Amino acid sequence: MSTSFACSPITMELYETDIYKLQEFITNEKIEGEFTEEYLILYDFADDCKCAACIQSELIGYLLPFYLKTTEQAVIYKNKTAVDIYCRFNSMVFFNQRNFERAVGEKYQFVMEYYIKLTIKSMETENQGMLAWVPLFNTTVAFYTDNILQLFKRIFEGSLRIKYSFFRYLSVLLFKESDNLLAADETKAFWTSDIWDFDSQLSYDFFWNNDIVEYFDREIDREKIEILFEEIKPLLYNVFEPELMELFREQMEQSFVTGVFQKRKSEYLQKISCKSEKTRYWDSSF
């Protein structure tokens, strides 16, 4: 993605951003350089863009690669400064989507593709909690309705590792915390409520629209989960002894038959699509 701003003037109205520091950043920082504290000016600029009726196209186009670099630093390397900027950028993209898309033009699809690829990469990362990648997944889905279609396609056509990560996430819809045999390493109380997290400073302000919810509800059903289960059996045998594997299969069957899965899926979708939910916990976790 090309970056060119040269000596063009900054014409958009800025209230949070120090124009001098922003100009300094544009002059001195190179996309191939190190991630530094100077990137913090992008936090303030994202704040201005979040409320802007008109985002200066040339300016956001130039800064976009720096935001995507920051996103990688936040998601992959867990840089704390990058996380703050990344979360503020996410809020801007979500809450001012129309003006952001208008400003970046065809680069908007590039940004969506970047988030989709980063989500898939995060799902393939081993030795992390069951829901470690879910806030990024939820955020990517919330940005643009088509993103969930693209993600599901890559998940169900992806590697066993990706499918296993997705199955562990779906297991939260199948079982209550105390019944989930895949969650032996989870120690935090009410950890399953992390399934509603977004990568935002105010996670509860994010939500999925009705089209996303309807698609998820339609696509994630008993048949799809049972197919996924059969496909990832080679990995599950690394987790369970044969007798535990049979117990897990029985518990999964019980979840479908008794309606636990349908009830938990409905609760999950109702809460993730709620615009005013301040705290999200399962009605019955244990």
Side-chain angles (χ1 to χ4, degrees):
M1 185 167 55
S2 62
T3 60
S4 177
F5 189 68
C7 298
S8 303
I10 297 174
T11 57
M12 69 178 288
E13 293 183 346
L14 300 175
Y15 301 98
E16 301 294 333
T17 309
D18 184 314
I19 294 180
Y20 174 76
K21 286 185 179 180
L22 182 58
Q23 288 172 328
E24 214 174 41
F25 180 89
I26 292 168
T27 301
N28 297 328
E29 295 295 330
K30 307 300 179 187
I31 192 62
E32 64 273 12
E34 295 292 322
F35 180 86
T36 69
E37 291 292 318
E38 303 305 318
Y39 274 66
L40 274 171
I41 193 64
L42 298 179
Y43 178 98
D44 293 333
F45 183 68
D47 222 20
D48 277 318
C49 288
K50 180 181 173 183
C51 302
C54 182
I55 301 172
Q56 187 176 351
S57 181
E58 301 86 358
L59 180 55
I60 189 62
Y62 179 80
L63 293 175
L64 196 53
F66 293 96
Y67 278 113
L68 298 185
K69 179 179 177 178
T70 301
T71 295
E72 182 184 41
Q73 287 289 320
V75 173
I76 304 298
Y77 303 107
K78 313 302 181 185
N79 181 291
K80 291 183 179 180
T81 299
V83 168
D84 286 342
I85 301 167
Y86 159 70
C87 288
R88 184 59 58 160
F89 177 74
N90 290 343
S91 293
M92 181 268 287
V93 174
F94 182 73
F95 289 106
N96 203 4
Q97 180 185 350
R98 183 173 298 177
N99 288 322
F100 174 71
E101 185 176 2
R102 184 183 296 121
V104 299
E106 62 184 20
K107 293 177 184 176
Y108 187 77
Q109 288 301 326
F110 179 89
V111 175
M112 295 300 100
E113 177 64 18
Y114 183 86
Y115 271 77
I116 290 168
K117 286 183 177 179
L118 201 57
T119 302
I120 294 297
K121 182 176 181 179
S122 185
M123 291 178 71
E124 284 190 300
T125 302
E126 297 187 30
N127 303 318
Q128 58 178 343
M130 286 175 63
L131 302 181
W133 52 270
V134 168
L136 172 61
F137 173 85
N138 289 344
T139 303
T140 301
V141 169
F143 280 156
Y144 190 56
T145 302
D146 189 58
N147 287 355
I148 193 170
L149 281 71
Q150 295 300 321
L151 279 167
F152 277 11
K153 176 177 170 54
R154 297 181 201 198
I155 289 167
F156 290 113
E157 294 179 359
S159 67
L160 281 184
R161 179 67 211 176
I162 292 171
K163 292 176 180 178
Y164 177 66
S165 290
F166 193 62
F167 184 83
R168 293 177 82 198
Y169 153 73
L170 292 178
S171 74
V172 176
L173 307 183
L174 286 166
F175 313 115
K176 298 177 183 180
E177 288 187 4
S178 57
D179 299 332
N180 196 332
L181 295 176
L182 285 172
D185 297 330
E186 301 294 338
T187 58
K188 188 176 73 172
F190 306 110
W191 64 270
T192 55
S193 292
D194 292 351
I195 199 169
W196 287 292
D197 283 354
F198 291 86
D199 279 335
S200 166
Q201 290 176 323
L202 295 174
S203 182
Y204 53 75
D205 280 350
F206 272 56
F207 57 88
W208 285 1
N209 67 40
N210 290 336
D211 289 340
I212 295 169
V213 168
E214 288 173 8
Y215 183 79
F216 186 101
D217 191 28
R218 185 170 63 251
E219 291 295 313
I220 303 303
D221 57 11
R222 176 175 181 170
E223 181 182 5
K224 190 67 66 72
I225 292 174
E226 288 182 333
I227 291 172
L228 202 57
F229 175 78
E230 292 299 322
E231 287 184 305
I232 65 165
K233 269 186 176 178
L235 295 184
L236 287 175
Y237 277 117
N238 293 330
V239 179
F240 298 131
E241 297 294 331
E243 59 273 16
L244 273 181
M245 181 71 127
E246 184 56 33
L247 176 61
F248 184 87
R249 184 69 182 84
E250 290 174 2
Q251 286 185 326
M252 190 169 72
E253 175 75 15
Q254 189 75 0
S255 178
F256 293 128
V257 171
T258 61
V260 170
F261 165 68
Q262 191 57 48
K263 181 180 178 182
R264 286 177 72 82
K265 184 176 75 164
S266 296
E267 182 180 348
Y268 168 65
L269 292 175
Q270 184 273 321
K271 289 180 176 176
I272 204 168
S273 61
C274 183
K275 300 178 184 180
S276 59
E277 191 85 29
K278 298 302 181 185
T279 55
R280 296 181 174 111
Y281 293 101
W282 291 99
D283 290 341
S284 56
S285 292
F286 293 95

